[in-house]
Amino acid sequence: MRTRRTALAVAGGAVLLAVAALPAAALPAVAPPEPGPWSYRTADLAEDDRWAEEREEGTAAAPAEARALLAKVQRCRQISKGKYRKDAGARADIPVCGTDGAVFWKADMDIDCDGVPTAKCNSRTDPWFHATTAFRQSDGRHLNAEKLPFIVVPAPSRIWDYRAHGIRGGSAAAVIYRDRVQYAVVGDTGPTTVIGEASYAAAKALGIDPDPRGGGVPSGVTYIVFKNTRVSPIEDRAEAARVGAAMAAGFLADE
């Protein structure tokens, strides 16, 4: 479990302009919905084509998909018994919301660099570094936060127990920031009263400063976790992208 800092520095700098879309083969054959608040339109598809030209394995999805997912989670049916803080000492005002197929929350993003030590994630680069993650790779090693996009869920408590809602280590997730979607896995647990954290790799893919000392963003991040899913092996970034994209397509098609 990672020790959270009490205040998060606001990430600055220019927003990166281009990330890549997942290959079309990664998405299941689902008929597009009728035009509506989360429908794909011709202009959106043209924009997606531009992103597809610069794609690389496991990177963020296109803007149209981000807009569609955000529209789908505009309303919250609270399933947590209480609310979470975005940092220790902050106001508890973040609920966990639920639908038939997913849970979601809207929060900040702190950077989780825990797990196997790497050049970017170690005790020198991260004052809060722990060489462990709650969930492990298929070979028994802890996860690699520098390479694997994963999110952190609060440890089970009276506020909310993720295990009771079909969520576990390796569950597929979508993390949305501005016009980007990064597919990820549930890879670690955090404090029982704080929410809003993802790995170095997840932040970097979303154009968020991944520096564990002062990176992240203070708000504007949406986390969607798809119930009863599992990416196997958990450390397979491409498989996380494939499963996540397929689940997102089904989630958008579900009325």
Side-chain angles (χ1 to χ4, degrees), residues 4 14 36 41 43 81 101 136 151 154 158-161 169 180 194 202 210 213 229 234:
R4 295 289 294 267
R41 296 173 173 82
K81 295 179 180 179
R136 300 192 183 199
I151 68 169
R158 288 179 293 180
I159 298 177
W160 182 58
D161 185 343
R180 300 186 184 188
V194 177
R213 289 180 179 270
T229 59
I234 189 174

mmCIF file of all heavy atoms in Angstrom, residues 4 14 36 41 43 81 101 136 151 154 158-161 169 180 194 202 210 213 229 234:
data_model
loop_
_atom_site.group_PDB
_atom_site.id
_atom_site.type_symbol
_atom_site.label_atom_id
_atom_site.label_comp_id
_atom_site.label_asym_id
_atom_site.label_seq_id
_atom_site.Cartn_x
_atom_site.Cartn_y
_atom_site.Cartn_z
ATOM 1 N N ARG A 4 0.140 8.069 0.877
ATOM 2 C CA ARG A 4 -0.227 9.218 0.068
ATOM 3 C C ARG A 4 0.283 10.492 0.694
ATOM 4 O O ARG A 4 0.281 10.653 1.908
ATOM 5 C CB ARG A 4 -1.756 9.290 -0.059
ATOM 6 C CG ARG A 4 -2.353 8.119 -0.816
ATOM 7 C CD ARG A 4 -2.034 8.196 -2.286
ATOM 8 N NE ARG A 4 -2.697 9.335 -2.870
ATOM 9 C CZ ARG A 4 -3.896 9.256 -3.445
ATOM 10 N NH1 ARG A 4 -4.527 8.126 -3.523
ATOM 11 N NH2 ARG A 4 -4.453 10.319 -3.954
ATOM 12 N N ALA A 14 2.823 22.302 -21.205
ATOM 13 C CA ALA A 14 1.944 22.204 -22.367
ATOM 14 C C ALA A 14 1.350 20.823 -22.478
ATOM 15 O O ALA A 14 1.979 19.835 -22.171
ATOM 16 C CB ALA A 14 2.725 22.542 -23.635
ATOM 17 N N GLY A 36 -26.695 10.610 -30.595
ATOM 18 C CA GLY A 36 -27.123 10.990 -29.261
ATOM 19 C C GLY A 36 -25.967 11.611 -28.537
ATOM 20 O O GLY A 36 -24.928 11.900 -29.138
ATOM 21 N N ARG A 41 -19.635 10.578 -34.383
ATOM 22 C CA ARG A 41 -20.098 11.276 -35.571
ATOM 23 C C ARG A 41 -18.987 11.290 -36.610
ATOM 24 O O ARG A 41 -17.854 10.975 -36.330
ATOM 25 C CB ARG A 41 -20.525 12.696 -35.205
ATOM 26 C CG ARG A 41 -21.745 12.709 -34.246
ATOM 27 C CD ARG A 41 -22.038 14.124 -33.776
ATOM 28 N NE ARG A 41 -23.266 14.178 -33.003
ATOM 29 C CZ ARG A 41 -23.358 13.871 -31.730
ATOM 30 N NH1 ARG A 41 -22.286 13.467 -31.077
ATOM 31 N NH2 ARG A 41 -24.512 13.956 -31.092
ATOM 32 N N ALA A 43 -17.309 13.669 -37.981
ATOM 33 C CA ALA A 43 -16.155 14.498 -37.628
ATOM 34 C C ALA A 43 -15.285 13.797 -36.607
ATOM 35 O O ALA A 43 -14.047 13.876 -36.646
ATOM 36 C CB ALA A 43 -16.628 15.847 -37.090
ATOM 37 N N LYS A 81 -20.741 3.692 0.591
ATOM 38 C CA LYS A 81 -21.521 4.089 1.765
ATOM 39 C C LYS A 81 -21.127 5.469 2.268
ATOM 40 O O LYS A 81 -21.848 6.074 3.052
ATOM 41 C CB LYS A 81 -21.357 3.048 2.871
ATOM 42 C CG LYS A 81 -21.938 1.688 2.497
ATOM 43 C CD LYS A 81 -21.746 0.676 3.613
ATOM 44 C CE LYS A 81 -22.326 -0.675 3.224
ATOM 45 N NZ LYS A 81 -22.129 -1.696 4.276
ATOM 46 N N GLY A 101 -22.671 -2.557 -15.344
ATOM 47 C CA GLY A 101 -21.440 -3.195 -15.803
ATOM 48 C C GLY A 101 -20.146 -2.578 -15.342
ATOM 49 O O GLY A 101 -19.067 -3.095 -15.662
ATOM 50 N N ARG A 136 0.309 -8.969 -8.094
ATOM 51 C CA ARG A 136 1.591 -9.325 -8.689
ATOM 52 C C ARG A 136 1.458 -9.845 -10.111
ATOM 53 O O ARG A 136 0.379 -10.254 -10.542
ATOM 54 C CB ARG A 136 2.286 -10.385 -7.831
ATOM 55 C CG ARG A 136 2.560 -9.941 -6.411
ATOM 56 C CD ARG A 136 3.498 -10.900 -5.725
ATOM 57 N NE ARG A 136 3.741 -10.544 -4.330
ATOM 58 C CZ ARG A 136 4.766 -10.990 -3.621
ATOM 59 N NH1 ARG A 136 5.632 -11.844 -4.176
ATOM 60 N NH2 ARG A 136 4.927 -10.631 -2.369
ATOM 61 N N ILE A 151 -4.270 1.346 -12.195
ATOM 62 C CA ILE A 151 -4.885 2.277 -11.264
ATOM 63 C C ILE A 151 -4.855 1.689 -9.860
ATOM 64 O O ILE A 151 -4.636 0.490 -9.670
ATOM 65 C CB ILE A 151 -6.324 2.633 -11.662
ATOM 66 C CG1 ILE A 151 -7.258 1.412 -11.497
ATOM 67 C CG2 ILE A 151 -6.372 3.162 -13.086
ATOM 68 C CD1 ILE A 151 -8.732 1.777 -11.609
ATOM 69 N N PRO A 154 -9.030 2.109 -3.428
ATOM 70 C CA PRO A 154 -8.900 2.150 -1.969
ATOM 71 C C PRO A 154 -9.010 0.744 -1.383
ATOM 72 O O PRO A 154 -9.791 -0.079 -1.850
ATOM 73 C CB PRO A 154 -10.079 3.019 -1.528
ATOM 74 C CG PRO A 154 -10.470 3.797 -2.746
ATOM 75 C CD PRO A 154 -10.184 2.891 -3.906
ATOM 76 N N ARG A 158 -15.294 0.333 5.447
ATOM 77 C CA ARG A 158 -16.728 0.549 5.607
ATOM 78 C C ARG A 158 -17.268 1.524 4.572
ATOM 79 O O ARG A 158 -18.477 1.553 4.314
ATOM 80 C CB ARG A 158 -17.026 1.071 7.019
ATOM 81 C CG ARG A 158 -16.856 0.011 8.104
ATOM 82 C CD ARG A 158 -17.142 0.576 9.474
ATOM 83 N NE ARG A 158 -16.123 1.563 9.857
ATOM 84 C CZ ARG A 158 -16.135 2.220 11.015
ATOM 85 N NH1 ARG A 158 -17.100 2.012 11.886
ATOM 86 N NH2 ARG A 158 -15.175 3.086 11.293
ATOM 87 N N ILE A 159 -16.395 2.304 3.958
ATOM 88 C CA ILE A 159 -16.843 3.226 2.911
ATOM 89 C C ILE A 159 -17.217 2.448 1.658
ATOM 90 O O ILE A 159 -18.277 2.666 1.065
ATOM 91 C CB ILE A 159 -15.747 4.257 2.581
ATOM 92 C CG1 ILE A 159 -15.427 5.110 3.810
ATOM 93 C CG2 ILE A 159 -16.192 5.163 1.416
ATOM 94 C CD1 ILE A 159 -14.291 6.108 3.583
ATOM 95 N N TRP A 160 -16.342 1.535 1.256
ATOM 96 C CA TRP A 160 -16.583 0.767 0.020
ATOM 97 C C TRP A 160 -15.609 -0.402 -0.034
ATOM 98 O O TRP A 160 -14.442 -0.262 0.338
ATOM 99 C CB TRP A 160 -16.396 1.661 -1.203
ATOM 100 C CG TRP A 160 -16.666 1.001 -2.515
ATOM 101 C CD1 TRP A 160 -17.824 0.408 -2.917
ATOM 102 C CD2 TRP A 160 -15.747 0.875 -3.617
ATOM 103 N NE1 TRP A 160 -17.681 -0.085 -4.202
ATOM 104 C CE2 TRP A 160 -16.409 0.196 -4.657
ATOM 105 C CE3 TRP A 160 -14.426 1.283 -3.820
ATOM 106 C CZ2 TRP A 160 -15.812 -0.100 -5.871
ATOM 107 C CZ3 TRP A 160 -13.820 0.999 -5.035
ATOM 108 C CH2 TRP A 160 -14.516 0.316 -6.047
ATOM 109 N N ASP A 161 -16.094 -1.529 -0.503
ATOM 110 C CA ASP A 161 -15.262 -2.715 -0.687
ATOM 111 C C ASP A 161 -15.336 -3.110 -2.154
ATOM 112 O O ASP A 161 -16.364 -3.612 -2.621
ATOM 113 C CB ASP A 161 -15.746 -3.858 0.204
ATOM 114 C CG ASP A 161 -14.832 -5.083 0.152
ATOM 115 O OD1 ASP A 161 -14.018 -5.184 -0.792
ATOM 116 O OD2 ASP A 161 -14.949 -5.947 1.037
ATOM 117 N N GLY A 169 -7.775 -7.537 -8.551
ATOM 118 C CA GLY A 169 -6.522 -7.280 -9.225
ATOM 119 C C GLY A 169 -6.577 -7.793 -10.652
ATOM 120 O O GLY A 169 -6.959 -8.940 -10.887
ATOM 121 N N ARG A 180 -8.299 12.132 -23.838
ATOM 122 C CA ARG A 180 -7.575 10.866 -23.945
ATOM 123 C C ARG A 180 -8.192 9.793 -23.056
ATOM 124 O O ARG A 180 -8.698 10.067 -21.976
ATOM 125 C CB ARG A 180 -6.114 11.045 -23.551
ATOM 126 C CG ARG A 180 -5.356 12.046 -24.396
ATOM 127 C CD ARG A 180 -3.894 12.045 -24.017
ATOM 128 N NE ARG A 180 -3.168 13.071 -24.754
ATOM 129 C CZ ARG A 180 -1.851 13.203 -24.739
ATOM 130 N NH1 ARG A 180 -1.119 12.392 -24.010
ATOM 131 N NH2 ARG A 180 -1.253 14.151 -25.422
ATOM 132 N N VAL A 194 -8.833 7.640 0.855
ATOM 133 C CA VAL A 194 -8.349 8.487 -0.241
ATOM 134 C C VAL A 194 -8.512 7.755 -1.575
ATOM 135 O O VAL A 194 -8.324 6.544 -1.663
ATOM 136 C CB VAL A 194 -6.865 8.864 -0.020
ATOM 137 C CG1 VAL A 194 -6.322 9.673 -1.187
ATOM 138 C CG2 VAL A 194 -6.696 9.639 1.286
ATOM 139 N N ALA A 202 0.549 5.073 -16.652
ATOM 140 C CA ALA A 202 -0.793 5.561 -16.982
ATOM 141 C C ALA A 202 -0.787 7.075 -17.124
ATOM 142 O O ALA A 202 -1.360 7.629 -18.062
ATOM 143 C CB ALA A 202 -1.783 5.124 -15.915
ATOM 144 N N PRO A 210 4.292 12.553 -14.950
ATOM 145 C CA PRO A 210 4.360 11.331 -14.141
ATOM 146 C C PRO A 210 5.349 11.389 -12.983
ATOM 147 O O PRO A 210 5.551 10.375 -12.311
ATOM 148 C CB PRO A 210 4.799 10.290 -15.175
ATOM 149 C CG PRO A 210 5.704 11.056 -16.091
ATOM 150 C CD PRO A 210 5.120 12.446 -16.182
ATOM 151 N N ARG A 213 7.218 12.851 -7.373
ATOM 152 C CA ARG A 213 7.407 13.881 -6.340
ATOM 153 C C ARG A 213 6.368 14.992 -6.436
ATOM 154 O O ARG A 213 5.826 15.433 -5.420
ATOM 155 C CB ARG A 213 8.802 14.493 -6.449
ATOM 156 C CG ARG A 213 9.934 13.574 -6.020
ATOM 157 C CD ARG A 213 11.272 14.273 -6.162
ATOM 158 N NE ARG A 213 12.377 13.426 -5.730
ATOM 159 C CZ ARG A 213 12.849 13.393 -4.485
ATOM 160 N NH1 ARG A 213 12.305 14.157 -3.553
ATOM 161 N NH2 ARG A 213 13.851 12.605 -4.170
ATOM 162 N N THR A 229 -14.244 -8.530 -14.915
ATOM 163 C CA THR A 229 -13.286 -8.680 -16.002
ATOM 164 C C THR A 229 -11.926 -9.015 -15.404
ATOM 165 O O THR A 229 -11.666 -8.777 -14.228
ATOM 166 C CB THR A 229 -13.157 -7.389 -16.826
ATOM 167 O OG1 THR A 229 -12.731 -6.311 -15.966
ATOM 168 C CG2 THR A 229 -14.474 -7.024 -17.470
ATOM 169 N N ILE A 234 -1.723 -10.111 -15.951
ATOM 170 C CA ILE A 234 -1.986 -8.744 -15.522
ATOM 171 C C ILE A 234 -0.982 -7.759 -16.086
ATOM 172 O O ILE A 234 -1.301 -6.594 -16.322
ATOM 173 C CB ILE A 234 -2.024 -8.679 -13.971
ATOM 174 C CG1 ILE A 234 -2.522 -7.302 -13.499
ATOM 175 C CG2 ILE A 234 -0.662 -9.013 -13.388
ATOM 176 C CD1 ILE A 234 -2.715 -7.219 -11.992
#
